[in-house]
Structure formats: structure tokens, C-alpha cells
Amino acid sequence: MEREDVSFPWSASGGEARGRLLRPDDAWCLYVFAHGAGAGMDHGFMADLAGRLGGGGVATFRFDFPYMMAERRRPPDPPRVLMATVRAAVEAATGSAPDLPLLAGGKSMGGRMTSMAQAEGPLPGVRALAFFGFPLHPPGKEATTRGDHLRDVDVPMLFLQGTRDKLADATLLRGVLRSVDPAPRLHVVDGADHGFHVLKRSGRTDHEVRDELCDVFIDWARTTI
């Protein structure tokens, strides 16, 4: 599998971010894969899914938001910075693999920032969005306002969610998605939390859940693009 590490500007003032392309020999699409709030592009979940998706012919472009590149850990950047970085990452990914159809999205916060960027103005070349654990609301504060912008996303979307996800009440999420056109696909993973961990008593392993996530993603992407 080809690996390419790149740096790319996310702002006109010279701010830089870093990204990593993983491209299998049989690649048929490219997924711009943004990380969640608490861990960067090299987090185990991100790296593992990138490898599993690569096994199915899906190239990935992971990247770090600027705050992850600071010497000392700090809170996530403001949304305007996060969305600008998503847009710049899409451009960098296109430059790294211009021959591949483009998808975008990510884990938790990274996915939400991607959807917000798309709602604000189409991400060039992006045909569809996919989210691994969309964060609809803070834990214990059930609301739907974080999903209001999804009505302005005019490309197909895939939501992969766990039934134990404390950041997305399933009933609320289904209600939000019913008002979205084109109708998104929602795939629910029984027993999984926001990080897609499952309890031992479920009879399943985290690795099996990750296989399920990637299988669903690949099947959806093939029929969508």
C-alpha cells in the first residue's frame, strides 16, 4: 500500500496542517477522513479503519487539525478554523490522488465539521459524506441543534452509529435525518458506544465491529458513487 505524508496550508496566512494518504494498489475511491476532538489522525481507531478500508480498495487521506500539531495539548480550534482545514484537506487529497472519486467525513467532531463545511458551501469534488459516530449533542444534554445544518447538505450521507452512543440519541437522530434530502442511510451497530467499543457480554469483539463498519461503508460507497 502506498503511503504519502504531506503538509498543506489551511489558511491564507500560512498556517499548515499535515496529512497522510494511504492508497492500495486497487484503489477505486478516496475518503478524506477527519479525526475526533480528543485524538489525532494516528489514533488507533483512525489508523486501523484506514488499513481495513484499504483492504477493500478505499484509499484514505487522514489529517490533523491545527490544534493537534501544537507542542502542548489544547482544546479544539474554533469551528471556522476546523472547517477551513477540512476544505484545505479536501484540496490536498485531490492533489494527491486526482484520479479517484472523492468522499469525505470522519470520526465524531471531524465528521460534524465536514458536514458543516459542506452545508456552508460544496466541498469541491466531494460526492458523498460518511460519519463514524456523528455527535448530535453533548452527553446528557439531548438536543438536535447540532444537526440542523444537515438539511443544507445536498449530497448522499452515511451515518454509522452505536446504540450506546451517549452523544447521539438514536430516536433524535432518526428524527433529524427524516427531514434531510436526499435521505441519508443510517446503520446502527447494536451494543456499540461512541468509540464503537462493545461489552464482552455482547458476544462480539471491537475488531468484529470495525469489520462491520468497513463492510457497510464499502457497500454504501460502491452503490453511491
Side-chain angles (χ1 to χ4, degrees):
M1 190 176 301
E2 175 190 349
R3 167 176 161 166
E4 179 186 0
D5 290 328
V6 301
S7 295
F8 59 92
W10 66 263
S11 73
S13 62
E16 283 205 336
R18 58 190 172 210
R20 178 170 300 144
L21 172 71
L22 284 182
R23 178 171 181 158
D25 293 338
D26 58 349
W28 52 272
C29 73
L30 173 61
Y31 179 49
V32 182
F33 192 11
H35 64 75
M41 69 176 183
D42 290 323
H43 184 263
F45 180 87
M46 299 285 294
D48 188 44
L49 253 64
R52 290 170 188 265
L53 290 171
V58 177
T60 55
F61 187 89
R62 289 176 285 149
F63 62 96
D64 276 333
F65 289 109
Y67 74 97
M68 274 294 169
M69 299 175 64
E71 291 185 9
R72 292 187 178 183
R73 185 179 178 87
R74 67 186 196 193
D77 301 300
R80 62 176 180 79
V81 172
L82 299 175
M83 288 190 287
T85 307
V86 168
R87 199 167 291 278
V90 167
E91 182 178 346
T94 301
S96 293
D99 57 317
L100 296 178
L102 203 60
L103 309 171
K107 176 74 181 78
S108 192
M109 180 201 74
R112 187 167 74 95
M113 290 300 114
T114 302
S115 64
M116 289 174 63
Q118 174 69 25
E120 189 174 75
L123 296 167
V126 171
R127 301 187 183 187
L129 304 181
F131 312 105
F132 293 90
F134 187 88
L136 185 62
H137 53 73
K141 298 180 180 179
E142 296 178 359
T144 62
T145 53
R146 288 185 177 180
D148 288 347
H149 69 279
L150 295 173
R151 299 183 185 91
D152 297 321
V153 175
D154 58 355
V155 297
M157 292 184 283
L158 169 68
F159 291 78
L160 298 149
Q161 303 287 149
T163 58
R164 294 192 302 117
D165 190 339
K166 295 182 179 179
L167 276 68
D169 176 82
T171 300
L172 291 179
L173 181 59
R174 285 190 179 94
V176 169
L177 299 186
R178 276 196 292 269
S179 66
V180 176
D181 184 31
R185 178 176 175 185
L186 172 62
H187 180 83
V188 176
V189 182
D190 189 42
D193 64 12
H194 188 64
F196 295 99
H197 301 299
V198 288
L199 301 174
K200 288 185 178 180
R201 66 171 179 265
S202 71
R204 306 182 69 196
T205 67
D206 288 354
H207 289 293
E208 290 171 336
V209 168
R210 292 179 184 184
D211 281 341
E212 177 182 341
L213 296 174
C214 292
D215 287 346
V216 171
F217 179 103
I218 290 168
D219 288 345
W220 167 81
R222 284 195 180 278
T223 60
T224 300
I225 63 173

